[in-house]
Amino acid sequence: MFSSSSPPSWPLDKVFQYIDLHQDEFVQTLKEWVAVKSDSLQPVPRFRKELFLMMAMATDKLQRLGAEVDSVDLGSQQLPGGQSLPIPPIILAHLGNDPKKPTVCFYGHLDVQSAHQDDGWLTDPYTLMEVDGKLYGRGATDNKGPVLAWINAVSTFRALEQDLPVNIKFILEGMEEAGSIALEELIRKEKDRFFSSVDYIVISDNLWLSKRKPALTYGTRGNSYFLVKVKCRDQDFHSGTFGGILNEPVADLVALLGSLVDSSGHILIPGIYDQVAPLTEEEKEMYEAIDLDLEQYRSSSQVEKFLFDTKEEILMHLWRYPSLSIHGIEGAFDKPGTKTVIPGWVTGKFSIRLVPHMNVSMVEKQVKQHLEDVFSKRNSSNQMAISMVLGVQPWIANTNDTQYLAAKRAIRTVFGTEPDMIQDGSSIPIAKLFQDIIQKSVMMLPLGAVDDGEHSQNEKINRWNYIEGSKLFAAFFLEMAKLH
Amino acid sequence: MFSSSSPPSWPLDKVFQYIDLHQDEFVQTLKEWVAVKSDSLQPVPRFRKELFLMMAMATDKLQRLGAEVDSVDLGSQQLPGGQSLPIPPIILAHLGNDPKKPTVCFYGHLDVQSAHQDDGWLTDPYTLMEVDGKLYGRGATDNKGPVLAWINAVSTFRALEQDLPVNIKFILEGMEEAGSIALEELIRKEKDRFFSSVDYIVISDNLWLSKRKPALTYGTRGNSYFLVKVKCRDQDFHSGTFGGILNEPVADLVALLGSLVDSSGHILIPGIYDQVAPLTEEEKEMYEAIDLDLEQYRSSSQVEKFLFDTKEEILMHLWRYPSLSIHGIEGAFDKPGTKTVIPGWVTGKFSIRLVPHMNVSMVEKQVKQHLEDVFSKRNSSNQMAISMVLGVQPWIANTNDTQYLAAKRAIRTVFGTEPDMIQDGSSIPIAKLFQDIIQKSVMMLPLGAVDDGEHSQNEKINRWNYIEGSKLFAAFFLEMAKLH
């Protein structure tokens, strides 16, 4: 897989040498960025301040590269409880304005998922810690590392006083993990201004299929996220004092959540599979061609047994079939110990990953209808409320255009291999958004390895991926200039 | 209900007058005790320190009354994670040693359930706040208020330089909400020493059946608390990256929890009702005699509709039939927001309230067998582990002895009414313990009103209950002396 190709020629050899020599500096910057607790999932002032700090640090970094930076104020968001919180700015930046060069816009996000050391982190999630070449820290791979890799590539050309092969634009946001609030509106607003000169959009916010082999991503599943609240009253009850005479909200909710998916992973909501695109022969062959060591995948995932036994079934159920996951319950007793409480209300959370040609609105209708049917059969005296709080369509790209070809060449140069042509089970709404609004080619060029643990405890990026990824982006700039 | 009886005669008139005049002082002391965050449910050093402070404050208080106090060191407890935490001391105290007087031992606890203002408290749970005669604060009714009412009664005799009508003993613990760790062992150890002179045991750790009418309690349900853990791996997964190919632990757990109880409150575990005592005619009549305004009970409970429509059915399902409550899930996503996580492991928590003649060991066997059957049918690749972490037998008292008669007379004097003779749906393991080990009469003499919200947000005790309760205990001392 890593047969050495011919050594890179000037100016790439200088670029690679520079990146190798300065890798500790690049890791140090990642450490500084990871130290910022830019958690967008917990809507509290404390974390919002960190998000503002994060965006200010990125602005400063880009300005030092010589970029013109516009830090767009987005006002406030109204929370369900009535409070309002400021939304972190979105950074629009550009570097170079040569009409003879193609303009590549890089999208990234600097917010992170929540992380608490007592959730099972071996080290402080906000202190980047290197162990055996792995850089552990919240946001290391999702998405601070890849954003910095792109910046490292640009700064290398600057440091070497090399002309940038392409015009570079940046759009960096701070609310991706919380549904990219205000982003769509801004993209629409900037469509004929900031984005008018953009030819290509690159996103690096997903993972490879393996630990060592690079990948190019041409599609993502969508997602529809549901909250179902069952309420008896606002206050909790004591289970001794009230147990036996109530329709307990948790029992209702457990029945609702238990009606969604069976133990084989099959979704039980009537009609949900009706719109899923039928599997074609061509598609089948594409899946067969993908290089996946199933045993290694299973063991690196630390999963005893998957629901399916073949590579093709597994990949198809991750990419081209919908899935339903129950995330948890808010309002119930969730701490260690033995509290004898009957929660007065509970909110169940689950989401369905969507694939072509499922439609968000239709899914919303089917889910609501199904839960209402189940609840009504229970004849419970509680109140139920269902809401879909996120709805993102799936996305599929055209893989035959310039930037996909350039990326394949750059991957060959840096890694000496062809990429896996893959989809991603995660919904990256921004890919779909750019395609729909800007109508330019969107490519996902991941840097992280399959075992990076984005969204999990002990998230990491390998030093190797981070540094070779910086080289990959630099090589991609040069290939884009050649192919343009 | 509150027709005025004849005015109390000396020395009770002086005692009542003193308590009325000093009620603000008594409330101030309660405020100081509520301010101590003596949370025994969260096994962390921070709260343990508060528990030690609480026990030290109580020791000081009792010593100032002239009691001889033994603060018994109980060593440490080992937590599942391997850490160890010191157990707060149990206070054994006595006041008076006259062989001509009966000796009444009062049991109380000074630890509280967890409370966080953001769980829905309108005010800081640890700052006693009076609104419309209601004293809001964690522990106000469970159990700091009643403990202080007993102390207020004793201190009133002291302040009036009146001889105490009875010898008083105290046993005060700090781990009741966490299963009374180390208490049983201490009672056994002190059986022939501290408890050898005890004639009666009084517990005031439950609630009246109504807002205004006092009650006497002669039985409590037991409880068996279960944890069921389903695990795929230690780390969480991202639902985009892994959704569709896993036996997700939450889905397994929801199926397990959903198999426990139906929407009519009927427990579905095979054999669970086999040992429940059959309902007798005599018992039926006793239930019919109880004075309960169902509409007021419903509305004060803020419950739209109970599972049953008659007073008798409701009380029987609270007192003499078992109930099953699901308390919540540990390890899943429980915070506000929309995290797209597949929890790697989850622990479901539920408990079954036990009634005569159910047996804890048999229930444990039935629950485990049932869950293993359900889990095995799912054919899941996850691991399941079930443990019963608390097991308390139900308790029934003989209501024909001296202290029940004395309490009825005292209630008549203070409140001008007969008490409701009730059971309690909550398990108060200590009642059963005392009966089994000390083999003396155990009585539960509650002070709190039905709407006090023990274990809930916005727990309170009414100033009226707290002050009249102090009088009730004083009157009870005098009646005990008369009847002895």
Side-chain angles (χ1 to χ4, degrees):
Chain A
M1 201 190 291
F2 301 105
S3 58
S4 77
S5 46
S6 51
S9 55
W10 191 92
L12 210 49
D13 53 350
K14 289 270 176 237
V15 165
F16 285 8
Q17 193 180 30
Y18 182 91
I19 291 174
D20 279 331
L21 282 172
H22 291 79
Q23 56 175 285
D24 286 341
E25 252 168 60
F26 295 150
V27 170
Q28 177 56 31
T29 308
L30 180 57
K31 188 181 176 97
E32 288 159 18
W33 283 29
V34 164
V36 185
K37 297 172 180 163
S38 51
D39 177 341
S40 62
L41 277 178
Q42 296 187 65
V44 293
R46 181 159 69 95
F47 289 116
R48 281 304 153 92
K49 277 182 200 152
E50 301 262 349
L51 278 162
F52 273 79
L53 169 62
M54 187 67 248
M55 302 317 284
M57 284 167 64
T59 297
D60 180 65
K61 182 86 187 166
L62 293 175
Q63 282 170 339
R64 282 166 194 269
L65 285 183
E68 282 185 42
V69 185
D70 188 6
S71 178
V72 185
D73 177 27
L74 297 162
S76 294
Q77 81 185 114
Q78 212 66 28
L79 299 180
Q83 318 96 294
S84 98
L85 271 182
I87 302 173
I90 290 176
I91 291 174
L92 299 176
H94 74 271
L95 204 75
N97 204 8
D98 185 340
K100 292 191 297 288
K101 298 175 183 170
T103 299
V104 181
C105 180
F106 181 84
Y107 161 86
H109 69 87
L110 300 175
D111 59 317
V112 297
Q113 288 268 325
S114 299
H116 304 273
Q117 186 157 4
D118 56 8
D119 284 348
W121 283 75
L122 298 177
T123 56
D124 171 28
Y126 294 107
T127 303
L128 193 77
M129 181 80 83
E130 183 162 10
V131 181
D132 293 337
K134 293 173 178 121
L135 303 163
Y136 290 96
R138 177 53 95 216
T141 200
D142 182 16
N143 186 224
K144 291 175 178 178
V147 170
L148 276 173
W150 189 273
I151 290 174
N152 297 341
V154 173
S155 74
T156 298
F157 283 93
R158 298 309 243 184
L160 295 172
E161 295 182 346
Q162 283 294 321
D163 198 29
L164 271 169
V166 291
N167 301 315
I168 301 279
K169 290 200 164 191
F170 284 92
I171 176 166
L172 302 177
E173 68 156 322
M175 292 296 284
E176 195 268 350
E177 304 293 2
S180 292
I181 292 167
L183 181 70
E184 178 171 351
E185 199 186 327
L186 183 74
I187 296 174
R188 285 189 196 283
K189 207 172 123 194
E190 294 288 341
K191 183 186 171 187
D192 298 320
R193 230 173 48 121
F194 180 80
F195 291 106
S196 65
S197 59
V198 168
D199 301 305
Y200 303 96
I201 292 148
V202 175
I203 301 167
S204 181
D205 193 21
N206 61 322
L207 300 178
W208 297 349
L209 195 55
S210 83
K211 284 193 192 176
R212 302 280 293 181
K213 190 179 171 203
L216 260 177
T217 304
Y218 63 94
T220 64
R221 289 195 291 193
N223 198 14
S224 53
Y225 201 110
F226 291 87
L227 307 186
V228 50
K229 180 172 182 171
V230 180
K231 180 178 156 180
C232 177
R233 67 175 193 186
D234 286 324
Q235 283 181 308
D236 291 342
F237 301 88
H238 182 253
S239 68
T241 318
F242 282 95
I245 62 168
L246 297 179
N247 273 124
E248 301 189 7
V250 179
D252 281 343
L253 182 61
V254 158
L256 291 166
L257 298 177
S259 75
L260 295 172
V261 61
D262 70 16
S263 61
S264 70
H266 188 80
I267 303 173
L268 301 170
I269 298 159
I272 202 88
Y273 289 100
D274 291 354
Q275 297 170 300
V276 174
L279 182 68
T280 63
E281 269 309 308
E282 192 188 338
E283 219 185 331
K284 244 182 181 167
E285 284 161 21
M286 198 203 68
Y287 278 91
E288 285 159 13
I290 291 173
D291 184 26
L292 177 73
D293 179 336
L294 206 54
E295 188 44 38
Q296 187 189 317
Y297 176 55
R298 200 197 55 72
S299 97
S300 75
S301 306
Q302 298 169 267
V303 171
E304 179 102 358
K305 196 175 178 319
F306 291 120
L307 287 173
F308 306 96
D309 295 326
T310 68
K311 172 186 76 181
E312 290 78 8
E313 279 177 302
I314 285 179
L315 293 179
M316 285 182 195
H317 279 91
L318 287 174
W319 298 346
R320 63 108 53 235
Y321 290 119
S323 67
L324 189 149
S325 295
I326 304 168
H327 308 298
I329 298 178
E330 186 183 341
F333 176 53
D334 50 51
K335 301 195 171 51
T338 54
K339 193 173 182 180
T340 51
V341 64
I342 300 173
W345 61 267
V346 277
T347 299
K349 305 187 176 189
F350 65 94
S351 63
I352 303 174
R353 297 280 162 181
L354 308 178
V355 296
H357 308 292
M358 293 171 87
N359 174 284
V360 164
S361 313
M362 176 63 90
V363 168
E364 180 179 17
K365 214 179 123 190
Q366 290 167 333
V367 167
K368 287 185 172 174
Q369 186 61 55
H370 171 70
L371 288 178
E372 278 157 15
D373 288 350
V374 173
F375 190 67
S376 133
K377 280 188 196 123
R378 285 183 67 80
N379 201 21
S380 167
S381 53
N382 295 321
Q383 294 166 319
M384 180 186 67
I386 313 158
S387 55
M388 187 180 79
V389 288
L390 276 179
V392 179
Q393 289 290 140
W395 161 72
I396 289 280
N398 169 12
T399 57
N400 292 322
D401 73 24
T402 309
Q403 70 170 343
Y404 277 88
L405 302 179
K408 283 185 197 179
R409 287 192 190 180
I411 287 171
R412 243 175 270 137
T413 303
V414 175
F415 296 98
T417 180
E418 291 294 323
D420 280 329
M421 293 300 292
I422 67 175
Q423 295 195 49
D424 196 285
S426 301
S427 94
I428 304 183
I430 183 69
K432 178 78 180 153
L433 256 190
F434 281 123
Q435 201 187 43
D436 287 354
I437 303 174
I438 314 295
Q439 301 189 329
K440 292 289 163 64
S441 167
V442 176
M443 179 176 70
M444 293 180 59
L445 180 51
L447 300 190
V450 67
D451 61 346
D452 275 2
E454 26 141 46
H455 293 212
S456 288
Q457 301 95 330
N458 303 315
E459 176 183 346
K460 58 93 180 163
I461 192 168
N462 300 323
R463 178 186 275 256
W464 181 76
N465 290 60
Y466 177 52
I467 298 304
E468 299 305 298
S470 302
K471 293 180 192 171
L472 173 62
F473 287 149
F476 171 68
F477 299 162
L478 286 162
E479 295 293 348
M480 283 297 282
K482 279 195 239 168
L483 282 171
H484 190 71
Chain B
M1 201 187 292
F2 301 103
S3 58
S4 77
S5 48
S6 52
S9 56
W10 189 92
L12 209 49
D13 53 350
K14 289 271 177 235
V15 165
F16 285 8
Q17 194 181 28
Y18 182 91
I19 291 174
D20 279 332
L21 282 171
H22 292 78
Q23 56 175 281
D24 286 342
E25 253 168 58
F26 295 150
V27 169
Q28 176 58 30
T29 308
L30 181 56
K31 189 181 176 98
E32 287 159 17
W33 283 27
V34 163
V36 185
K37 296 172 182 163
S38 51
D39 176 340
S40 62
L41 277 179
Q42 296 186 64
V44 291
R46 181 158 71 92
F47 289 117
R48 280 305 154 92
K49 278 183 200 153
E50 302 262 348
L51 278 161
F52 274 79
L53 169 63
M54 187 68 248
M55 302 319 284
M57 284 166 65
T59 298
D60 181 65
K61 182 87 185 164
L62 293 174
Q63 282 171 338
R64 282 166 193 269
L65 285 183
E68 282 185 43
V69 185
D70 187 8
S71 179
V72 184
D73 178 27
L74 297 162
S76 293
Q77 79 184 116
Q78 211 66 27
L79 299 180
Q83 316 97 295
S84 98
L85 271 181
I87 302 172
I90 289 177
I91 292 173
L92 299 177
H94 75 270
L95 204 73
N97 202 9
D98 184 340
K100 292 191 296 291
K101 297 174 183 170
T103 299
V104 181
C105 179
F106 181 85
Y107 162 85
H109 68 88
L110 299 175
D111 59 315
V112 297
Q113 287 269 324
S114 299
H116 304 273
Q117 187 157 4
D118 57 8
D119 283 348
W121 283 75
L122 298 175
T123 57
D124 172 27
Y126 294 106
T127 304
L128 193 77
M129 182 80 85
E130 182 161 11
V131 181
D132 292 338
K134 294 174 178 120
L135 302 163
Y136 291 95
R138 176 53 93 216
T141 200
D142 182 17
N143 182 223
K144 291 175 178 177
V147 171
L148 276 172
W150 189 273
I151 290 174
N152 297 341
V154 174
S155 73
T156 297
F157 283 93
R158 298 308 245 183
L160 294 172
E161 296 181 346
Q162 282 294 321
D163 197 30
L164 272 170
V166 291
N167 301 315
I168 300 279
K169 290 202 165 192
F170 284 93
I171 175 167
L172 303 178
E173 68 156 322
M175 291 298 284
E176 195 269 348
E177 304 293 2
S180 291
I181 291 168
L183 182 69
E184 179 171 348
E185 198 185 327
L186 183 73
I187 296 174
R188 285 190 196 282
K189 206 173 125 193
E190 294 288 341
K191 184 186 169 186
D192 297 322
R193 229 172 50 119
F194 180 80
F195 291 106
S196 65
S197 59
V198 168
D199 301 304
Y200 303 95
I201 290 147
V202 175
I203 302 167
S204 181
D205 192 23
N206 62 320
L207 300 178
W208 297 350
L209 196 56
S210 83
K211 283 193 192 177
R212 301 280 292 181
K213 190 177 170 205
L216 261 177
T217 305
Y218 63 95
T220 62
R221 291 194 288 192
N223 199 13
S224 52
Y225 201 110
F226 291 88
L227 308 186
V228 50
K229 181 170 182 172
V230 180
K231 179 177 156 183
C232 178
R233 66 173 193 187
D234 286 323
Q235 283 182 309
D236 291 341
F237 301 88
H238 181 254
S239 68
T241 317
F242 282 95
I245 62 168
L246 296 179
N247 273 126
E248 301 189 6
V250 179
D252 281 342
L253 182 61
V254 157
L256 291 166
L257 297 176
S259 75
L260 296 171
V261 59
D262 72 15
S263 61
S264 69
H266 189 81
I267 303 173
L268 301 171
I269 297 159
I272 201 88
Y273 289 99
D274 290 355
Q275 297 170 299
V276 174
L279 182 67
T280 63
E281 268 311 307
E282 192 188 338
E283 217 184 334
K284 243 183 183 167
E285 281 161 23
M286 199 203 68
Y287 277 91
E288 284 159 14
I290 290 173
D291 184 28
L292 176 74
D293 180 338
L294 206 55
E295 188 44 39
Q296 187 190 315
Y297 176 54
R298 200 197 54 72
S299 95
S300 75
S301 306
Q302 298 170 268
V303 172
E304 179 104 355
K305 197 175 178 319
F306 291 120
L307 286 173
F308 307 97
D309 295 325
T310 69
K311 174 186 75 181
E312 291 78 9
E313 280 176 302
I314 284 177
L315 293 179
M316 286 182 196
H317 279 91
L318 287 176
W319 299 345
R320 62 110 51 238
Y321 290 120
S323 66
L324 189 150
S325 296
I326 305 167
H327 308 296
I329 299 177
E330 186 183 341
F333 177 54
D334 50 51
K335 301 195 170 53
T338 54
K339 192 172 180 180
T340 49
V341 66
I342 299 173
W345 61 269
V346 279
T347 300
K349 303 186 179 191
F350 65 95
S351 63
I352 302 173
R353 297 280 162 182
L354 307 179
V355 297
H357 309 295
M358 293 170 86
N359 173 284
V360 164
S361 313
M362 177 63 89
V363 167
E364 180 179 15
K365 214 179 123 190
Q366 290 166 333
V367 167
K368 287 185 174 176
Q369 186 60 54
H370 171 69
L371 290 178
E372 276 157 15
D373 289 349
V374 173
F375 190 67
S376 132
K377 281 189 194 120
R378 287 182 66 77
N379 200 22
S380 166
S381 54
N382 294 321
Q383 294 166 317
M384 179 183 68
I386 313 159
S387 54
M388 188 179 80
V389 288
L390 277 180
V392 180
Q393 288 290 139
W395 161 72
I396 288 281
N398 169 13
T399 58
N400 291 323
D401 75 23
T402 309
Q403 69 169 343
Y404 277 88
L405 301 179
K408 281 184 197 179
R409 288 193 191 179
I411 287 171
R412 243 176 269 138
T413 304
V414 176
F415 297 99
T417 179
E418 292 293 325
D420 280 330
M421 293 299 292
I422 66 175
Q423 296 195 49
D424 196 284
S426 301
S427 95
I428 304 184
I430 185 66
K432 177 78 181 151
L433 257 191
F434 281 123
Q435 202 187 42
D436 287 354
I437 303 174
I438 315 294
Q439 301 188 328
K440 292 290 162 64
S441 167
V442 177
M443 178 177 70
M444 293 180 60
L445 182 50
L447 299 190
V450 67
D451 62 346
D452 276 1
E454 26 141 44
H455 293 212
S456 288
Q457 301 95 333
N458 303 313
E459 176 183 345
K460 59 94 179 160
I461 192 168
N462 300 323
R463 176 186 277 258
W464 180 77
N465 291 60
Y466 177 52
I467 299 304
E468 298 305 298
S470 302
K471 294 180 191 169
L472 173 61
F473 287 149
F476 170 69
F477 299 162
L478 287 163
E479 295 293 348
M480 283 297 282
K482 278 195 241 168
L483 282 170
H484 190 70

